[in-house]
Amino acid sequence: MKVSEYMKKHGLTDEKLDAMAAPYESGDYTSEDGKVYTGSHIDSVGKRRVTVVYNAADTQRVASIARSKGVKPAVIYREALDRYLATV
């Protein structure tokens, strides 16, 4: 779906979006729990994205394993890291 179609479907206009964003952008927004997070949502939930380069054959094997288990490759990488960290 195109952005314009989504906006029309939900009754959104550029003006409405600007008005909704204004409190966030000015720093005047307060959430129900009183916390406003800035930056990556991943950092705010205690996670951090990292980039790791693996051998192509290994990544193909991980992709194959993930498909056979019905999960994303990231799950396999996380499980492997968890197991390694449990041993050190």
Side-chain angles (χ1 to χ4, degrees), residues 6-22:
Y6 180 87
M7 289 177 66
K8 185 176 180 179
K9 178 180 177 181
H10 295 285
L12 297 171
T13 64
D14 287 336
E15 293 77 22
K16 283 184 181 180
L17 291 176
D18 288 342
M20 292 165 61

Side-chain angles (χ1 to χ4, degrees), residues 5-7 11 21 23-24 29 55 58 67 70-71 74-75 81 83 87:
E5 294 170 348
Y6 180 87
M7 289 177 66
Y24 295 96
Y29 176 80
N55 177 298
D58 291 340
R67 276 192 303 277
V71 298
V75 172
L81 179 60
R83 288 181 185 168
T87 67

Side-chain angles (χ1 to χ4, degrees), residues 40-87:
S40 170
H41 73 284
I42 294 171
D43 290 341
S44 68
V45 296
K47 296 184 179 182
R48 179 86 28 119
R49 181 176 310 235
V50 297
T51 301
V52 181
V53 179
Y54 290 102
N55 177 298
D58 291 340
T59 61
Q60 290 171 349
R61 187 170 177 207
V62 168
S64 176
I65 294 167
R67 276 192 303 277
S68 72
K69 292 183 170 222
V71 298
K72 294 183 178 188
V75 172
I76 306 301
Y77 291 112
R78 284 188 201 107
E79 287 177 0
L81 179 60
D82 287 345
R83 288 181 185 168
Y84 175 80
L85 291 175
T87 67

